Amino acid sequence: MSVAEDLCALSAAELLRGYATRALSPVEVTRASLARIEALEPLLHATYALDAEAAMAAARASESRWRGAKSGEQPGALDGVPVTIKENVATAGVPVPLGTAATQLTPAARDAPPAARLREAGAVILCKTTMPDWGMLSSGLSSFHPLARNPWDTRRNPGGSSAGAAAACAGRYAPLHVGTDIGGSIRLPAGWCGIVGLKPSLGRVPIDPPYAGRVAGPMTRNVTDAALMMGVLSRPDWRDASSLPPQSIDWLALERDARGLKLGLQMDAGWGLPVDPEIAATIEAAARGLEAAGANVERVGPFMTRAMIDGMDDFWRMRAWLDFKALPPERQAKVLPYIAEWARGGEGLSGERVFRGFSQMAAMRDAAVAACQPYDAVLSPTAPIAAFAAESASPLDDPTQPFEHIAFTLPFNMSEQPAISVNAGFTREGLPIGLQIAGRRHDDIGVLRMAKLWEELSGGEPMWPEPGAAKP
């Protein structure tokens, strides 16, 4: 492994320790990240709006702060650590295409809250990361961006909608990445790329614009780095009127003993694709491992219903249809055909049907909160299947059945509960399997502690792939 590759393998926590002792340089680390991106982007297609010049300028400024060259200026909490930001999180001066060629490219006027917090903390923003049209696919397929691919096997999908973030994370472009999630868009790609992806409680991380179920959160290679990011991302911002009141949380207090924990294990979501036997066996083994460490594990039955997802599909289709039909015909023609066909399904829906669909958000929230209340956390697969073909829009590749793979992730967006995906193992083909850990509402630190406990029991980070060895 070269010196540059060694630097790209380091965690954010390791980089910060190295900067503090001057054993490492933000300039050298950023240069190594940019070199890795240059080498792997022809395979992974994870980035958008890469600005190497701005990144190097930020790295030089960080190095100056660490070396005390500017009187009175102290390093920030993530000073000099390379990061990427999903392209639907605005950064000043960069257009926000929302994954679709139908968007008119107007530079953003200012940083959205997650980008602002990272910049204030001294992080080096390398680039934005890719996503599918309007973020409505668990896929790297986009009418605007090149097709994103999975570093573990470039014939496979990284998942979505935080597609580029997951691919960039597993590809070791940087240690820290920001994704967003409204139905699984952080956790699904995290599970399929073998990384850590935290969907925080709604309102824990201020976001602009805010709306029901939408959160931003960290995507990292280990739990400690996710906690480091939360210490920055969770800082208040008035622009998110739905954000939680500021709370003093020691995000790095991650120690937890398994003894006495009461955990739920859910293997049947109540609808959607059946859980693949390999994935089921891996998640069952994870539960047994926690049980052997002292936890009490009980089965949790399904609490979602077909009516819930059908209603949510109606509501989301109508929302997409309203956006789609507002476009002139020449821009409609640029939308990914799968998304256009799915959105047109909202055209004939009645107001009553859409309202009943909207009401399913509350039904999901109540069911998920009640099901999880007896437990410190609930374990489940992140997804019922492993990573699917890169060229497919969804596992079934059928716009009439677009959500059959999100049954385990969706309810926790609607219930506003924190949930994280961590790597639980691999299929026989070497594809990652995600373990989802969901906690009670607002117990984000509890979920991180559970994830850290599992990380320690399972032996830590996997041996990360080298995408150049995979077949495109």
Side-chain angles (χ1 to χ4, degrees):
M1 185 178 285
S2 69
V3 173
E5 288 172 328
D6 282 339
L7 292 176
C8 291
L10 296 176
S11 68
E14 289 169 329
L15 291 178
L16 291 169
R17 289 194 292 270
Y19 296 157
T21 63
R22 299 194 186 181
L24 297 174
S25 154
V27 171
E28 291 175 358
V29 168
T30 300
R31 190 176 289 122
S33 287
L34 292 170
R36 186 162 181 84
I37 291 171
E38 183 178 10
L40 294 185
E41 265 302 274
L43 283 171
L44 301 184
H45 303 297
T47 69
Y48 162 67
L50 177 71
D51 191 339
E53 185 176 333
M56 288 305 300
R60 287 190 290 271
S62 174
E63 189 156 291
S64 179
R65 287 190 291 274
W66 280 108
R67 294 184 177 180
K70 295 183 179 180
S71 178
E73 198 170 15
Q74 297 296 315
L78 297 175
D79 221 303
V81 178
V83 303
T84 77
I85 299 174
K86 189 176 177 181
E87 64 102 317
N88 65 341
V89 177
T91 50
V94 179
V96 184
L98 300 176
T100 177
T103 301
Q104 292 182 312
L105 298 179
T106 303
R110 60 182 179 177
D111 287 342
R117 299 295 86 76
L118 290 170
R119 212 182 293 274
E120 290 163 2
V124 175
I125 299 173
L126 300 172
C127 60
K128 309 299 284 292
T129 51
T130 60
M131 61 182 280
D133 290 51
W134 292 325
M136 290 307 299
L137 296 176
S138 300
S139 164
L141 192 63
S142 163
S143 62
F144 181 82
H145 302 294
L147 176 62
R149 294 179 181 272
N150 193 317
W152 292 93
D153 181 345
T154 54
R155 298 166 297 183
R156 305 288 183 135
N157 213 291
S161 63
S162 302
C169 186
R172 288 166 293 164
Y173 286 13
L176 305 181
H177 308 264
V178 175
T180 64
D181 192 317
I182 193 174
S185 288
I186 286 174
R187 289 157 291 155
L188 290 166
W192 286 325
C193 288
I195 64 170
V196 174
L198 172 66
K199 182 208 80 69
S201 300
L202 185 73
R204 179 68 70 199
V205 173
I207 188 73
D208 181 29
Y211 49 82
R214 186 189 188 212
V215 300
M219 301 177 75
T220 61
R221 296 193 303 268
N222 63 59
V223 176
T224 298
D225 277 4
L228 271 172
M229 282 190 85
M230 284 300 294
V232 169
L233 295 175
S234 63
R235 292 172 183 171
D237 193 299
W238 66 268
R239 290 175 286 173
D240 185 350
S242 67
S243 59
L244 296 171
Q247 187 176 353
S248 179
I249 296 173
D250 184 353
W251 291 103
L252 294 178
L254 296 175
E255 293 304 313
R256 168 165 274 178
D257 194 327
R259 288 173 295 185
L261 285 174
K262 187 175 181 182
L263 305 177
L265 174 62
Q266 186 189 32
M267 298 302 299
D268 179 0
W271 63 275
L273 293 171
V275 178
D276 180 272
E278 269 193 288
I279 290 175
T282 300
I283 302 306
E284 296 270 8
R288 289 195 299 272
L290 286 161
E291 207 165 29
N296 300 305
V297 180
E298 296 179 2
R299 296 280 171 170
V300 176
F303 53 82
M304 289 274 284
T305 66
R306 187 80 240 179
M308 290 176 181
I309 187 55
D310 287 347
M312 182 59 59
D313 189 10
D314 284 345
F315 174 71
W316 278 350
R317 280 181 198 255
M318 177 56 78
R319 189 184 70 176
W321 170 245
L322 293 175
D323 289 339
F324 182 81
K325 78 170 186 174
L327 299 173
E330 65 273 14
R331 288 170 61 196
Q332 289 182 359
K334 295 180 178 181
V335 175
L336 196 71
Y338 180 104
I339 292 293
E341 184 178 345
W342 170 73
R344 285 192 182 95
E347 182 177 10
L349 297 180
S350 68
E352 178 183 354
R353 183 166 165 179
V354 174
F355 176 79
R356 291 185 183 280
F358 177 78
S359 71
Q360 294 304 313
M361 286 196 289
M364 277 187 256
R365 181 190 62 224
D366 293 348
V369 168
C372 295
Q373 188 57 34
Y375 305 104
D376 295 298
V378 171
L379 314 175
S380 73
T382 302
I385 60 167
F388 54 98
E391 295 79 9
S392 296
S394 65
L396 297 179
D397 212 19
D398 179 359
T400 69
Q401 301 181 83
F403 301 129
E404 300 305 299
H405 57 290
I406 67 171
F408 289 105
T409 54
L410 174 64
F412 301 114
N413 292 83
M414 301 303 108
S415 68
E416 307 175 7
Q417 293 170 251
I420 196 168
S421 180
V422 292
N423 184 247
F426 295 87
T427 68
R428 286 185 295 274
E429 292 182 293
L431 298 173
I433 296 171
L435 167 67
Q436 180 175 248
I437 303 170
R440 297 190 182 108
R441 291 179 78 220
H442 308 149
D443 187 21
D444 301 73
I445 188 63
V447 164
L448 283 166
R449 287 170 178 159
M450 274 298 310
K452 181 66 173 178
L453 172 62
W454 166 250
E455 189 177 70
E456 291 173 347
L457 289 174
S458 62
E461 297 182 39
M463 293 292 292
W464 296 105
E466 196 53 58
K471 295 180 180 180

